[in-house]
Amino acid sequence: MAAQTSAKSLLHLSSSSSSSSCPCFGTSKQSNLIKLRKTQVGFEPRGLTQHTKPIKVESLSLNHKSGIRVVVVEERKKRWEVKCTAEGIERGVLMGRRGRDEAVAAAKGLVPERFKVVALMACVMCLCNADRVVMSVAVVPLATKFGWTNSFLGIVQSSFLWGYICSSVVGGALVDKYGGKRVLATGVALWSLATLLTPWAANHSTTSLLAIRAFFGLAEGVALPAMGIILSRWFPNHERASAVGISMAGFHLGNVAGLLLTPIMLSSIGLTGPFILFASLGLLWLSTWTQVTNDPQESQFISKSELRLIQDGKTDSSVSDGKFPPIRLLLSKLPTWAIILANITNNWGYFVLLSWMPVYFKTVFNVNLKQAAWFSAVPWGTMALSGYVAGATSDYLIKAGINLTLVRKIMQSIGFIGPGVSLLCLNFVNTPVHASVFITIALSLSSFSQAGFLLNIQDIAPQYAGLLHGISNSFGTLAAIVSTIGTGFFVQWLGSFQAFLTVTAGLYFMSTIFWNLFATGERVF
């Protein structure tokens, strides 16, 4: 009865033209506003204030369970909100005490919490790829020392992928179940340890080297699924492509760091130098990761306004319901196979260039190891920049109202047609500079696929994105193994990279057609 009496009184007061029992309700110019003193059940009059300008009431609504919610607007261009309930009146003034507190907190924090998360993600993705690339450079002196053939060199290069293919599905499922924070931290600790042990394994025996590289790949298999899940929870939909672009920029800069620093460390310290450096950086990163949470709602450092921005920018929940979806169901949809084929093609071309670029420049153009490192590093640096441009462009198109499916198809088409044409052009170059230009174009344009199939995983299956990423990545890793080993045999048998680059270009074109026929930006699962 008290709640009903309070509600009726407030409704009466809001429509009255002569007085108001709440300081925020508008009256006529001749009326006075009554000051209120808060009691246990509401407010009661305490006095009058003269010459106060009225506030226009924009809307008035009744909530039958909790009382009245009145929204008022525009006194001297300020927005006010008043919530009146049966238990009392909770007044939230945007520029009042609470607003000032939030402004002070924002000023102290300076950087939004989600930006800190993506910065840490970019750093760990940089280390993830740098640890891979160290072996791509170190394998040249190792091959000379142990007398490896080109075909066996391809087997050594692909040993990382043997473990990587095994952990992708399991790692993706673990990320869905436990979140990305713990799974990623465990992966970083294990792959840093494997990096540290690689020189010892190489000196001990070839079998030990292959085993430790497979273990290294096993640990790194969780990185990309964890990245996708963490960023999808920390960023609204219209910022997700840019966040992925920044993280993958770190991933590609890892190639630059590995290709440039490894020859320097090898010549100054020896074989152990680069492996110790990057392993130590991985352990250092772990010490900064402790403050990050799986979900922004769990964070102690995020502001209310930032949390509200993230939540308002999401259309679907990305939290798993705890059920393990049948893999048969996931594989029964053509959009899933569009993602799988795109991942196969992307990994095929990516790992051919990643693993063989230094050898390519040394074999085809007879440049030394340090020169080959520079020619190899430039394309990855531009790829980091173009990946962010692709993400920002994708977000811009989505904000502009372009259909999500169309945006994904545009980005993916650029990401595959561009590299395909560039690799065909490599058949006609005669200098390392021209070769570096076309490889740079190929890798720069391939980064647009990050805003295509990589983001599309979250579009069609937000609850099982980790698992779907793991499945598609397993297929892609298998393709990477075949392409990495296949390149070695092509080079040994034919003495040329050109034939294999032509096959890779054809795969890019075929995947583009399949993607545009069957990919969708709508939720499927």
Side-chain angles (χ1 to χ4, degrees), residues 14-71:
S14 68
S15 60
S16 173
S17 60
S18 59
S19 65
S20 175
S21 63
C22 182
C24 61
F25 290 155
T27 66
S28 65
K29 291 184 179 180
Q30 292 79 18
S31 66
N32 297 323
L33 294 176
I34 302 174
K35 279 190 173 180
L36 301 179
R37 177 170 60 84
K38 189 173 183 179
T39 68
Q40 291 181 346
V41 296
F43 289 84
E44 60 185 30
R46 193 175 69 177
L48 298 177
T49 300
Q50 299 289 336
H51 309 298
T52 304
K53 291 186 179 182
I55 300 174
K56 180 182 177 182
V57 178
E58 180 183 356
S59 64
L60 179 66
S61 60
L62 174 63
N63 185 313
H64 295 288
K65 292 183 179 180
S66 59
I68 304 293
R69 184 179 187 275
V70 182
V71 179

Side-chain angles (χ1 to χ4, degrees), residues 251-288:
F251 188 78
H252 303 313
L253 287 175
N255 290 324
V256 178
L259 289 167
L260 295 183
L261 292 178
T262 301
I264 297 174
M265 301 292 285
L266 287 173
S267 60
S268 59
I269 299 177
L271 188 63
T272 60
F275 294 97
I276 293 174
L277 171 64
F278 289 110
S280 301
L281 290 175
L283 297 177
L284 178 63
W285 178 88
L286 279 174
S287 66
T288 66

